[in-house]
């Protein structure tokens, strides 16, 4: 469908443009030096990425980010599907219209469970890629990262930090879809009245 295709294309284009910022942000988050300001941290990480990897360093994890760009479409389909299921189950409605909040939260749970291993690998590939004195690289690519994580940490290694991500994401997407439906109804109501 045209809307889905447009959504995927927009998401992939956004990913291509913003990938360097994601790499810098990831590295900034992992910097524990309390003595430097945010700007110094940004400047320091940008310089370090370029010195260690050249321009390609700013594209670390791009393939994984492009795969993750599909998660928004998956989430929207799951949201619409859970709304249909919610109605089929004939769950009583209240004036609060919690259906949209619940279905939005569930769509995020499904999306996170599906995409979290990719998110974990992307974060690890974007982190400081060298051990010790910038001689030995931690991972030689996504394939090695996947195999080592599976071997050394098992299935759970791909889901580290998922509980915090779910707590944040469920509330965020629940609120997002709750107000999405309210504004959508208002917009279409005004459009119908103007005709």
């Amino acid at each position: 469908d045209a809307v889905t295709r447009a959504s995927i294309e927009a998401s992939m284009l956004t990913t291509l443009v913003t990938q360097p910022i994601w790499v810098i942000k990831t590295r900034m988050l992992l910097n524990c030096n309390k003595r430097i300001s945010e700007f110094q941290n940004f400047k320091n990480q940008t310089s370090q990425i370029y010195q260690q990897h050249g321009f390609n360093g700013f594209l670390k994890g791009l393939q994984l980010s492009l795969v993750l760009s599909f998660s928004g479409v998956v989430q929207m389909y799951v949201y619409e599907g859970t709304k249909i299921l919610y109605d089929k189950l004939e769950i009583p409605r209240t004036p609060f219209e919690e259906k949209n909040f619940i279905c939005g939260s569930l769509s995020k749970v499904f999306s996170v469970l599906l995409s979290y291993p990719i998110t974990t690998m992307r974060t690890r590939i974007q982190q400081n890629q060298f051990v010790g004195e910038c001689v030995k690289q931690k991972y030689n690519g996504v394939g090695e990262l996947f195999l080592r994580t599976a071997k050394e940490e098992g299935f759970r290694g791909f889901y580290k930090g998922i509980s915090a991500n779910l707590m944040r994401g469920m509330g965020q997407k629940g609120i997002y879809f709750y107000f999405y439906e309210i504004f959508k109804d208002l917009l279409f109501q005004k459009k119908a009245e103007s005709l």
Side-chain angles (χ1 to χ4, degrees):
D1 130 275
V3 175
T4 302
R5 201 173 110 223
S7 173
I8 291 169
E9 289 171 357
S11 183
M12 291 179 86
L13 179 62
T14 302
T15 298
L16 287 168
V17 171
T18 61
Q19 184 66 19
I21 297 164
W22 273 101
V23 175
I24 295 166
K25 183 201 91 159
T26 300
R27 297 276 293 261
M28 287 176 71
L29 286 170
L30 296 170
N31 183 8
C32 298
N33 187 344
K34 296 176 184 176
R35 295 185 196 143
I36 64 173
S37 68
E38 281 296 307
F39 178 73
Q40 288 170 319
N41 191 9
F42 179 85
K43 189 176 167 189
N44 191 27
Q45 296 306 324
T46 304
S47 171
Q48 205 175 74
I49 291 165
Y50 187 75
Q51 286 172 8
Q52 291 174 346
H53 306 286
F55 180 74
N56 288 338
F58 295 101
L59 300 176
K60 286 278 183 191
L62 178 62
Q63 307 92 325
L64 298 170
S65 293
L66 288 170
V67 171
L68 286 171
S69 66
F70 288 88
S71 67
V73 174
V74 170
Q75 193 171 312
M76 189 57 87
Y77 274 107
V78 171
Y79 171 67
E80 293 298 334
T82 52
K83 282 191 342 184
I84 292 166
L85 181 63
Y86 195 96
D87 291 338
K88 281 187 178 178
L89 294 172
E90 297 178 0
I91 297 170
R93 308 272 298 257
T94 72
F96 296 112
E97 290 293 335
E98 69 281 347
K99 168 186 160 184
N100 302 324
F101 181 88
I102 292 167
C103 293
S105 296
L106 290 173
S107 73
K108 184 62 177 182
V109 169
F110 183 83
S111 176
V112 167
L113 290 174
L114 187 68
S115 66
Y116 203 77
I118 299 167
T119 304
T120 300
M121 289 195 307
R122 180 184 67 180
T123 301
R124 288 182 179 191
I125 208 82
Q126 288 176 347
Q127 71 185 9
N128 192 344
Q129 270 282 298
F130 289 97
V131 180
E133 295 297 314
C134 299
V135 177
K136 186 182 174 197
Q137 253 189 320
K138 251 185 217 181
Y139 310 109
N140 289 321
V142 175
E144 183 190 342
L145 169 59
F146 177 81
L147 293 172
R148 278 183 50 193
T149 302
K151 182 181 175 185
E152 295 168 15
E153 301 173 56
F155 181 73
R156 290 184 179 193
F158 294 102
Y159 285 92
K160 282 189 174 177
I162 194 168
S163 55
N165 195 297
L166 282 172
M167 283 190 290
R168 178 193 64 86
M170 286 174 65
Q172 176 197 29
K173 285 305 171 186
I175 293 166
Y176 171 87
F177 281 111
Y178 182 82
F179 285 104
Y180 165 79
E181 293 293 346
I182 289 172
F183 292 132
K184 186 173 82 171
D185 290 345
L186 286 171
L187 181 67
F188 285 120
Q189 185 180 6
K190 285 183 179 177
K191 195 172 181 181
E193 288 170 0
S194 67
L195 293 176

